[in-house]
Amino acid sequence: MRLEKQPRTNMCGIVGYIGNRGAYPIIIQGLKRLEYRGYDSAGIALLNSELQLTKTKGKVADLEAKAQQDKRSGTLGIGHTRWATHGVPNDVNAHPHTSNSGRLVLVHNGIIENYESLRAYLTEQGFTFSSETDTEVLVNLIEHIQITQGLKTGKAVQIALNQVVGAYAIAVFDKERPKEIVVAKLGSPLAIGLGKDEYFVASDASPFIEYTNRSIYLEDNEMAVINQDKGLKMYAIPDNSRVDPQIQELQLSLEKIEKGGYDHFMLKEIYDQPAAIIDTFRGRLHRDQQQILLSGLEEHKTVFQNAKRIIIIACGTSWHAGLVGEYLFEDAARIPVEVEYASEFRYRNPIITNEDVVIAISQSGETADTLAAIKLAKEAGAFVFGICNVVGSSIARAADTGAYTHAGPEIGVASTKAFTTQITLLLLIGLRLGQLRGTLSAEDFNRVAEELEALPKAVETVLKIEKEIEQIAKNYKDAANFLYLGRGYNFPVALEGALKLKEISYIHAEGYPAAEMKHGPIALIDKNMPVVVIATNKGHYEKVVSNIQEIKSRNGKIIAVVTKGDRPVKALADHVIEIPEVTESLTPILASVPLQLLAYHIALMRGCNVDQPRNLAKSVTVE
């Protein structure tokens, strides 16, 4: 899969140390503490009498194995775990990166949006590049400024950062200034731990929590020059004015810090969703120009324009996202769509032609059944477009082209932000297909695009009612069964809501199209049967209200997800969860969030391990 040209915010991990101790064990242990962030490569740079640089694709354990015993000395060093967003995971693209002269060494979390133009300029100045990363561009830009203007490292960093566009957290040192590290932040987190004659740097406080409880959290557009002899000085990046450090005393436990202050990774990832959705459409959605820029699609747009059919293949939560994609594509692009379980598709004798486009969806990019289905589709001549979250994964390599969701690492086994970002990406594809096939009006494009840009704020609004959802959960923690009902776009939400509950709470739950209730499931409804109904005011609202009345007449317990201000359903339901009003195609994203929280709190009350539910794995890489 070719990566898109726009780099994205990522979840890399940074660790640094300067002091009197040996830096290597502190940095290695710190990198292990940051493994929860997810990564595909790691590296460390130590400064003694010479630079000792080790980096490798793989895990911190691989880095330890590669680092030679005689190259583990030095009291200054920086380390990094990389979650690739552009540039495949390999030894060369791994951090730290050095400048052309080898004088500067830098680690970086984030994106430099204008790295291509900066790279072209630096190439004209005689610089060469060995990696595909924006980070190597940044370290050479700093060196270029330092050399041409005769500046100290800190001032060169400040000037360079005023020339870049994007987000970053960086740590950089100069071999000629062996007692100094410069750090800076915009958009990506960075903390400085303060010890006695020593300083720690990290993406969060977990790498240094056992050494000190005194920390400075850099704010956006702030940098610090950390000198072992002269102390720490902070500056505002835009104008280089001095900033007074705000020292905090850490109160959190190590485990809490690793989870960003949340009790579980799943809860953290539920709360990650507003930012993850932004990362999915950032650089791709240009509403003012009525443009969707997905390079993997644009480079093959004639294939999509001429396709007779789209087949979506996926498993589990990704299959539910694919069902939403079916509604989106048929609405916007008026093209036939089939959604297949990859595990069934590969063992049938499906009819596939070279006029089909197959879209394969997988969070990990390693799902065995989906990979096998891709192979089958390609052998039949179909064009394969991959959607996954992990850069350089097997599906990314097997597909003809595709796009990444850029949700960041998802640690909890039960997918949350993977689901909503997959739908976000499918929505972007649907809008672009509608344009290419001439079936989507400019008015409809603008309406949906405008609401998509506002959607992260709407998700934040839903997250604010977590306590209300927790109270609802108390009433049903001992239930033996659940039904979930929805119509149209909200039918896949019912399926996903039921899956979340059964995955982490071990309560039997089933999702159905609401109209199918009368074809069997209604026989199960009594006073002991909780029924979750997605009843937003778009689509087939009156029909759903009728279904709710049928449940009510049989004494079923009704938990309704409704549009804010709803009255008819509120009069019937036992519990109501209100969400902001959005256009129908966006309701699956917004309506799924309270169902994630409901499942989370019920599971918690039942004493279940929400992050690692029994018998389940994050990636199903075998049959």
Side-chain angles (χ1 to χ4, degrees):
M1 183 196 299
R2 284 194 61 185
L3 287 168
E4 293 155 290
K5 294 179 181 177
Q6 299 87 355
R8 307 282 169 185
T9 302
N10 56 51
M11 283 287 287
C12 306
I14 290 174
V15 181
Y17 175 77
I18 183 170
N20 297 311
R21 307 176 198 241
Y24 177 83
I26 295 171
I27 294 172
I28 288 292
Q29 180 61 33
L31 293 178
K32 290 178 179 178
R33 292 271 172 80
L34 295 177
E35 284 185 306
Y36 75 92
R37 298 170 71 87
Y39 65 101
D40 46 53
S41 55
I44 186 171
L46 301 169
L47 185 60
N48 198 345
S49 57
E50 60 181 22
L51 178 65
Q52 304 158 21
L53 178 63
T54 308
K55 52 185 188 174
T56 184
K57 177 183 176 181
K59 301 299 184 183
V60 174
D62 299 313
L63 179 65
E64 286 185 285
K66 191 172 182 179
Q68 299 176 18
Q69 287 291 339
D70 61 349
K71 291 189 176 180
R72 295 182 176 184
S73 59
T75 57
L76 181 153
I78 53 178
H80 190 266
T81 52
R82 177 177 186 250
W83 173 264
T85 54
H86 64 298
V88 297
N90 60 27
D91 293 5
V92 175
N93 288 330
H95 299 210
H97 285 281
T98 58
S99 60
N100 273 190
S101 71
R103 176 178 171 179
L104 300 181
V105 187
L106 184 144
V107 291
H108 167 220
N109 177 14
I111 56 172
I112 305 300
E113 300 275 6
N114 61 336
Y115 80 102
E116 287 185 327
S117 60
L118 292 171
R119 183 179 180 130
Y121 167 75
L122 290 168
T123 301
E124 292 176 358
Q125 305 304 309
F127 284 83
T128 59
F129 298 90
S130 59
S131 78
E132 303 169 85
T133 68
D134 54 346
T135 304
E136 191 183 10
V137 173
L138 179 56
V139 72
N140 280 305
L141 176 64
I142 297 169
E143 174 163 283
H144 174 62
I145 293 169
Q146 187 179 40
I147 292 172
T148 57
Q149 300 186 34
L151 300 173
K152 293 181 179 179
T153 315
K155 183 61 177 176
V157 168
Q158 184 255 333
I159 293 173
L161 293 179
N162 274 314
Q163 296 181 18
V164 303
V165 177
Y168 53 79
I170 65 168
V172 57
F173 69 80
D174 182 339
K175 284 178 17 179
E176 296 183 12
R177 301 179 68 83
K179 291 192 173 185
E180 186 174 279
I181 295 178
V182 179
V183 298
K185 173 197 182 306
L186 175 61
S188 296
L190 200 65
I192 302 170
L194 309 176
K196 184 177 181 182
D197 300 322
E198 62 182 352
Y199 298 88
F200 307 83
V201 176
S203 296
D204 62 42
S206 60
F208 56 76
I209 188 67
E210 70 259 54
Y211 300 106
T212 179
N213 68 343
R214 298 173 69 240
S215 178
I216 297 169
Y217 289 90
L218 291 186
E219 299 293 337
D220 282 350
N221 285 308
E222 288 183 351
M223 60 177 286
V225 177
I226 306 168
N227 189 289
Q228 187 180 358
D229 295 334
K230 299 178 181 178
L232 179 148
K233 294 180 181 178
M234 288 180 58
Y235 302 90
I237 293 169
D239 60 7
N240 205 36
S241 59
R242 288 290 296 270
V243 174
D244 292 329
Q246 301 297 313
I247 299 173
Q248 300 182 28
E249 289 196 7
L250 300 174
Q251 303 295 328
L252 294 174
S253 67
L254 176 60
E255 183 181 10
K256 281 275 192 178
I257 291 173
E258 289 180 340
K259 295 182 175 73
Y262 294 94
D263 290 334
H264 300 90
F265 285 116
M266 181 181 178
L267 186 61
K268 175 186 178 296
E269 288 153 8
I270 290 171
Y271 276 81
D272 280 348
Q273 287 175 115
I277 291 167
I278 291 172
D279 282 344
T280 303
F281 69 67
R282 180 166 45 201
R284 292 164 163 169
L285 174 61
H286 300 270
R287 180 169 56 88
D288 293 343
Q289 292 82 39
Q290 289 207 328
Q291 285 185 332
I292 302 290
L293 296 179
L294 291 163
S295 61
L297 194 159
E298 290 304 308
E299 291 167 7
H300 303 276
K301 63 184 178 182
T302 55
V303 175
F304 286 88
Q305 283 175 308
N306 298 329
K308 300 300 183 185
R309 176 179 61 160
I310 291 177
I311 303 171
I312 299 175
I313 53 174
C315 299
T317 287
S318 296
W319 186 80
H320 297 156
L323 284 180
V324 178
E326 179 180 24
Y327 286 91
L328 292 169
F329 295 168
E330 290 187 346
D331 268 358
R334 306 308 298 152
I335 185 171
V337 180
E338 296 177 13
V339 185
E340 300 271 5
Y341 282 113
S343 54
E344 290 297 314
F345 183 80
R346 63 179 291 198
Y347 288 116
R348 287 200 346 255
N349 185 20
I351 299 171
I352 311 169
T353 75
N354 59 6
E355 295 181 308
D356 291 329
V357 170
V358 172
I359 297 179
I361 309 175
S362 166
Q363 189 283 138
S364 67
E366 302 294 344
T367 308
D369 286 322
T370 307
L371 279 165
I374 288 173
K375 182 180 179 182
L376 178 65
K378 293 185 76 171
E379 288 173 349
F383 183 86
V384 178
F385 187 98
I387 293 176
C388 57
N389 188 36
V390 180
V391 172
S393 58
S394 297
I395 287 175
R397 298 192 302 272
D400 293 302
T401 187
Y404 294 114
T405 56
H406 299 298
E410 189 177 66
I411 309 302
V413 167
S415 281
T416 51
K417 63 179 179 178
F419 178 67
T420 50
T421 55
Q422 286 168 352
I423 296 174
T424 302
L425 186 51
L426 288 165
L427 179 62
L428 295 176
I429 295 170
L431 291 174
R432 184 59 182 138
L433 289 181
Q435 288 181 324
L436 290 173
R437 298 172 69 89
T439 53
L440 182 69
S441 69
E443 181 182 359
D444 284 342
F445 178 96
N446 285 332
R447 174 177 52 80
V448 176
E450 183 176 6
E451 291 203 28
L452 178 57
E453 288 180 332
L455 189 65
K457 290 290 185 185
V459 174
E460 289 176 357
T461 299
V462 176
L463 293 171
K464 290 177 182 177
I465 62 170
E466 182 192 352
K467 288 296 182 184
E468 297 175 28
I469 296 170
E470 183 180 6
Q471 291 302 312
I472 295 171
K474 289 179 180 179
N475 294 278
Y476 301 104
K477 64 181 179 64
D478 297 319
N481 301 281
F482 261 79
L483 282 178
Y484 286 71
L485 303 176
R487 281 182 181 254
Y489 277 97
N490 288 325
F491 163 50
V493 178
L495 293 174
E496 176 63 11
L499 177 61
K500 288 285 102 43
L501 187 70
K502 71 178 81 172
E503 278 182 314
I504 63 171
S505 76
Y506 318 138
I507 294 175
H508 174 253
E510 297 296 334
Y512 285 92
E516 288 297 301
M517 181 182 67
K518 288 180 284 189
H519 295 271
I522 198 169
L524 300 173
I525 294 175
D526 60 17
K527 64 181 181 179
N528 298 313
M529 174 64 78
V531 183
V532 177
V533 186
I534 300 97
T536 53
N537 65 3
K538 297 293 191 296
H540 311 283
Y541 176 75
E542 293 79 9
K543 299 287 187 182
V544 175
V545 172
S546 176
N547 295 138
I548 291 173
Q549 289 170 331
E550 292 169 333
I551 298 167
K552 188 73 173 177
S553 68
R554 289 159 178 82
N555 296 318
K557 300 296 183 183
I558 301 164
I559 304 167
V561 178
V562 301
T563 304
K564 188 172 179 60
D566 180 285
R567 291 184 179 179
V569 174
K570 195 171 186 177
L572 295 168
D574 296 274
H575 309 279
V576 167
I577 300 169
E578 291 188 327
I579 64 174
E581 182 167 0
V582 291
T583 194
E584 187 177 11
S585 58
L586 296 181
T587 55
I589 297 174
L590 204 55
S592 64
V593 175
L595 302 187
Q596 294 167 356
L597 288 169
L598 181 66
Y600 170 80
H601 282 292
I602 288 176
L604 204 61
M605 292 170 190
R606 291 168 65 90
C608 301
N609 185 337
V610 296
D611 284 336
Q612 295 180 314
R614 67 190 183 201
N615 304 329
L616 295 177
K618 184 61 184 172
S619 301
V620 183
T621 56
V622 295
E623 289 190 63

